[in-house]
Amino acid sequence: MANTEPMTQRVELATVMDRLAVDGLITDYAVAVDDGDWEAYRGLFTSDGRADYRSAGGIEGDAKEVAEWLTQTMELFPMRQHLIVNRQVRFGPLEHDTGDTAQVRADYVNPMRFAGHDGGDTTPDFVCGGRYDFALVRTDSGWRLRSVVVDEKWRRAPQARQEPAAT
C-alpha cells in the first residue's frame, strides 16, 4: 500500500496558501476602495471582471466603468472603512483542474463620513452593511476578481437635526 501522506500534506498546504492569497485579495479590495486607489482597484480584477453595486444604489459594469463611477461617488465620503468579516471560501474547478476558482461570501459593515463636516462628535455618519459575493479565478498573475456583487441589507443615514420648538 502506497503512503499518500506526503501528497495529502502538499494538497493541504496548497489549499492553505490559496486561502491566504484569496484572503489577501479581499483585503486589498477593501483597502483600495477605502483609500480611493482606483488604479489598484482595477488591477484586482480580471480583464473581463465586473462589479455590481446596484443593491446599494450604484451601478453594474466592468471594473473600469465601476472604478470611474466610484471615483466620483466616493468624493461624498472622504472617510471610509470597510470591515469585511465572516468570510466563507469555497474552491472549485476550472476546466477540470481543481482549485482554479474560488467563491467568497463575506459580510461587511462600512462606516463612512460625509464630506464637508468638521469631524467632531456631531458629524453625521453614513453606515451600511450587507454581504459581498466575490468570484475569483487563478491567473498567471495570481488570484483576481472575476466579479463582485454587493447585497446591501441595511443602512443608517444621518437624520436632519431638529431644533427645539420655540416656547
Side-chain angles (χ1 to χ4, degrees):
M1 179 177 253
N3 182 357
T4 60
E5 188 172 317
M7 179 62 167
T8 300
Q9 289 174 343
R10 283 193 296 271
V11 169
E12 289 173 357
L13 178 59
T15 301
V16 169
M17 297 302 291
D18 281 337
R19 171 66 194 237
L20 289 171
V22 165
D23 193 62
L25 181 65
I26 302 304
T27 299
D28 289 346
Y29 166 87
V31 170
V33 173
D34 291 344
D35 290 351
D37 187 344
W38 308 119
E39 184 176 335
Y41 175 91
R42 287 187 297 274
L44 299 172
F45 287 82
T46 60
S47 60
D48 62 345
R50 301 186 69 76
D52 184 349
Y53 293 90
R54 290 178 293 184
S55 77
I59 67 168
E60 187 277 335
D62 66 52
K64 182 180 181 204
E65 177 184 12
V66 172
E68 290 170 6
W69 173 78
L70 285 168
T71 299
Q72 296 172 353
T73 303
M74 291 298 115
E75 288 179 6
L76 297 171
F77 307 103
M79 190 288 298
R80 303 177 289 277
Q81 185 176 29
H82 281 73
L83 306 171
I84 301 178
V85 299
N86 301 334
R87 299 175 193 200
Q88 298 175 313
V89 179
R90 306 276 188 273
F91 292 104
L94 177 68
E95 298 175 13
H96 309 294
D97 293 327
T98 301
D100 287 333
T101 66
Q103 297 290 324
V104 179
R105 290 183 62 176
D107 296 326
Y108 71 88
V109 175
N110 184 13
M112 298 181 282
R113 174 143 300 146
F114 282 106
H117 295 278
D118 64 7
D121 290 340
T122 61
T123 300
D125 288 335
F126 177 88
V127 183
C128 60
R131 178 162 289 157
Y132 279 112
D133 282 307
F134 297 98
L136 296 84
V137 64
R138 185 193 320 269
T139 71
D140 291 339
S141 302
W143 288 96
R144 293 293 179 263
L145 297 168
R146 180 175 276 164
S147 71
V148 175
V149 178
V150 174
D151 180 14
E152 184 179 276
K153 296 184 180 291
W154 62 271
R155 66 173 54 186
R156 184 186 76 218
Q159 297 186 8
R161 193 169 189 163
Q162 300 283 329
E163 295 297 324
T167 56

